[in-house]
Amino acid sequence: MRYYQCEKYPIEFVLSENIDKYFDCHNHVGHYVISLVMQGEVTVYLESRKVMCHEGDAFIIPPYVVHSVCQERDARLLSMCIGTAFARETDSETAEVIVRELLKNAVGQGIFGEAQKEKLLPFARTVFRGWDKGRKEMDTGIKNLADRITTHPELELPIATLAADIFVSKYYLIRKFKRSVGMTPHQFCIQNRIRKSQGLLDEEKTVSRIAAEMGFYDQSHFDKAFQKIVGISPSEYIHSKKQIGQST
């Protein structure tokens, strides 16, 4: 897997190839994902729906939509991740100019070709022109709790304490949270610890220090969780990242 990040805007390309991997149920709270199958076949489970995607097929996964992905070793999947806040707060014309330039630069760097650029652009345009804006209706108490976990996933938040905060039993909270968010509070917390750690791996910190800061028992525990969610190890992730030039 290779990651290509735009330094100026919250936009990233992920190229997944040469892996035989099943990514279990998860969601992306902070960004939209536009995925394009460049080669082979990819099976996507969007909530309760199974979708078989073949070469040339593309799809959008909005924030909070629970999904899983099964990718065979001979498949190549290109994903464009766009920050939710950026999509919501940037006017569509400005956003399209930015994305056009970024796609052009990505082609120039050989990340993907002209055909992939032309496939991704209309999907990005759909996102910027108001397609759901990343809003998923959910109970206010659950939404506040999800936001709290997303912002500070490293904090220990016992289920009993969380349930007391919104005046329900812990068993009711787990059921209601999973029904709304698609996973239990614990699963959601681990997922967001890993998402936050991906940003921290950009800094001058050791993996073991980040593991401790994110609330994992030890580096081994962190490595296993990271591998399961991201698909590669923390050290592989660090070495897989590159920057995309952006002149806009």
Side-chain angles (χ1 to χ4, degrees), residues 15-200:
L15 183 59
S16 304
E17 57 186 350
N18 300 319
I19 63 171
D20 188 357
K21 179 73 176 176
Y22 173 72
F23 293 92
D24 206 353
C25 289
H26 64 286
N27 57 27
H28 303 279
V29 176
H31 54 267
Y32 290 87
V33 178
I34 303 169
S35 291
L36 170 65
V37 181
M38 297 176 65
Q39 177 181 301
E41 183 178 277
V42 174
T43 305
V44 183
Y45 297 87
L46 291 170
E47 297 189 320
S48 60
R49 202 159 46 93
K50 179 180 178 180
V51 182
M52 300 295 295
C53 299
H54 307 277
E55 184 174 334
D57 291 341
F59 54 91
I60 301 176
I61 300 174
Y64 275 105
V65 171
V66 174
H67 60 285
S68 58
V69 178
C70 182
Q71 181 175 341
E72 303 292 338
R73 184 167 294 278
D74 64 346
R76 298 181 74 212
L77 184 67
L78 172 65
S79 296
M80 180 180 186
C81 306
I82 302 173
T84 308
F86 177 75
R88 182 175 58 246
E89 297 165 5
T90 309
D91 70 86
S92 60
E93 290 185 6
T94 300
E96 185 169 336
V97 169
I98 291 169
V99 168
R100 277 185 181 277
E101 184 67 20
L102 188 58
L103 289 170
K104 177 183 175 182
N105 291 341
V107 171
Q109 289 181 224
I111 299 170
F112 47 81
E114 190 72 25
Q116 287 74 45
K117 183 192 82 171
E118 293 303 317
K119 278 276 191 178
L120 289 172
L121 184 58
F123 282 86
R125 187 182 294 129
T126 298
V127 168
F128 290 127
R129 292 187 177 177
W131 183 68
D132 104 342
K133 290 298 184 186
R135 290 190 292 268
K136 179 174 180 177
E137 294 298 325
M138 65 176 72
D139 176 88
T140 301
I142 296 296
K143 180 64 168 66
N144 290 340
L145 178 53
D147 288 344
R148 183 177 170 188
I149 293 174
T150 302
T151 305
H152 298 292
E154 69 278 10
L155 298 181
E156 288 295 335
L157 300 173
I159 289 294
T161 301
L162 298 176
D165 287 347
I166 58 174
F167 309 105
V168 296
S169 73
K170 63 180 182 180
Y171 303 107
Y172 179 79
L173 170 63
I174 293 171
R175 289 196 301 272
K176 189 171 183 179
F177 193 94
K178 186 170 183 179
R179 190 164 57 246
S180 297
V181 179
M183 57 189 71
T184 67
H186 176 71
Q187 291 169 329
F188 189 68
C189 180
I190 295 298
Q191 171 187 278
N192 282 281
R193 285 182 178 183
I194 296 301
R195 300 296 182 213
K196 190 169 183 177
S197 73
Q198 287 178 267
L200 294 176

